Amino acid sequence: EVQLVQSGAEVKKPGESLKISCKGSGYSFTSYWIGWVRQMPGKGLEWMGIIYPGDSDTRYSPSFQGQVTISADKSISTAYLQWSSLKASDTAMYYCASLYSSGGFDYWGQGTLVTVSS
Amino acid sequence: SYELTQPPSVSVSPGQTARITCSADALPKQYAYWYQQKPGQAPVLVIYKDSERPSGIPERFSGSSSGTTVTLTISGVQAEDEADYYCQSADSSGTYVFGTGTKVTVL
């Protein structure tokens, strides 16, 4: 069974750094792209970027380029999303999702809620 | 940048048909995908490559495409279909984009 399990909720202060994770299981992690999606409170889905864990090829949405870093450690089947300096406007639910077989995001993690508040 | 526009809301009575459109603002259009998201849950893929249905998705969900507009149709709507629905596609450079989202209310 394909599963993506994300790290737990985080509460941070503005200016702090953060790295959240997404661990894949039940499939060949290195063979399928994984994307990150932001959902701000009460708002829609926003595609942030995507990584191919096999060679770490990464693409970013222009809206998020330079704002976050996407990475992966294929040895532990885990993808990451990180910030070097959080802002209150980064408060959101973040989902990872895999481009598995359909061409779309077939499987989704449960989401990681990030709250940034002073 | 590539944009996908959906109506903010659609209301439908149980047993009736709900149609949700998704319009692209540029060509060429790549395949479209549809996701259902219920409150407090992660999205679920309900249609892929314009009109294909993943296993486990009820037959009442169908998709179609015409020009730069794709449509998700829910036939014989049930109360459990009340949710937010998002279309998704990609531009020619491999940048993905989600539609603005449509809230489906079952009256």
Side-chain angles (χ1 to χ4, degrees):
Chain A
E1 178 193 8
V2 175
Q3 278 195 313
L4 297 174
V5 178
Q6 298 184 228
S7 49
E10 302 273 2
V11 180
K12 292 289 191 179
K13 295 186 185 321
E16 292 186 333
S17 63
L18 176 64
K19 191 173 189 177
I20 62 175
S21 66
C22 169
K23 182 172 177 61
S25 63
Y27 72 108
S28 176
F29 183 78
T30 55
S31 300
Y32 300 93
W33 293 82
I34 285 190
W36 286 95
V37 176
R38 182 176 80 174
Q39 188 167 39
M40 299 177 75
K43 302 298 184 182
L45 305 176
E46 300 174 89
W47 179 74
M48 303 177 70
I50 201 161
I51 188 166
Y52 188 77
D55 61 7
S56 292
D57 184 12
T58 309
R59 302 170 191 173
Y60 293 92
S61 161
S63 300
F64 292 93
Q65 179 83 49
Q67 308 304 308
V68 296
T69 300
I70 293 171
S71 61
D73 184 339
K74 60 185 179 183
S75 69
I76 54 171
S77 301
T78 301
Y80 301 98
L81 177 66
Q82 69 179 92
W83 296 259
S84 59
S85 181
L86 287 159
K87 302 183 279 288
S89 57
D90 293 317
T91 294
M93 181 71 81
Y94 293 88
Y95 294 101
C96 64
S98 69
L99 286 169
Y100 183 61
S101 62
S102 71
F105 294 102
D106 306 76
Y107 295 96
W108 293 69
Q110 82 277 20
T112 295
L113 180 62
V114 174
T115 303
V116 183
S117 174
S118 55
Chain B
S1 62
Y2 194 54
E3 294 185 357
L4 299 174
T5 303
Q6 301 177 230
S9 62
V10 168
S11 297
V12 59
S13 299
Q16 299 303 302
T17 296
R19 293 182 179 84
I20 305 166
T21 57
C22 172
S23 299
D25 67 345
L27 289 171
K29 183 186 74 67
Q30 307 228 351
Y31 280 126
Y33 301 79
W34 289 94
Y35 303 86
Q36 176 194 67
Q37 186 181 33
K38 296 182 179 179
Q41 298 183 20
V44 173
L45 179 70
V46 294
I47 292 290
Y48 67 95
K49 291 184 179 177
D50 289 351
S51 60
E52 301 295 320
R53 197 172 49 250
S55 61
I57 301 301
E59 291 184 8
R60 63 181 181 272
F61 289 89
S62 63
S64 61
S65 176
S66 178
T68 58
T69 298
V70 291
T71 301
L72 173 69
T73 299
I74 312 173
S75 303
V77 166
Q78 300 182 8
E80 67 200 52
D81 300 330
E82 187 163 285
D84 294 325
Y85 291 84
Y86 297 90
C87 60
Q88 174 254 307
S89 189
D91 66 19
S92 55
S93 68
T95 298
Y96 293 79
V97 63
F98 287 96
T100 50
T102 299
K103 181 176 182 59
V104 170
T105 300
V106 181
L107 301 171

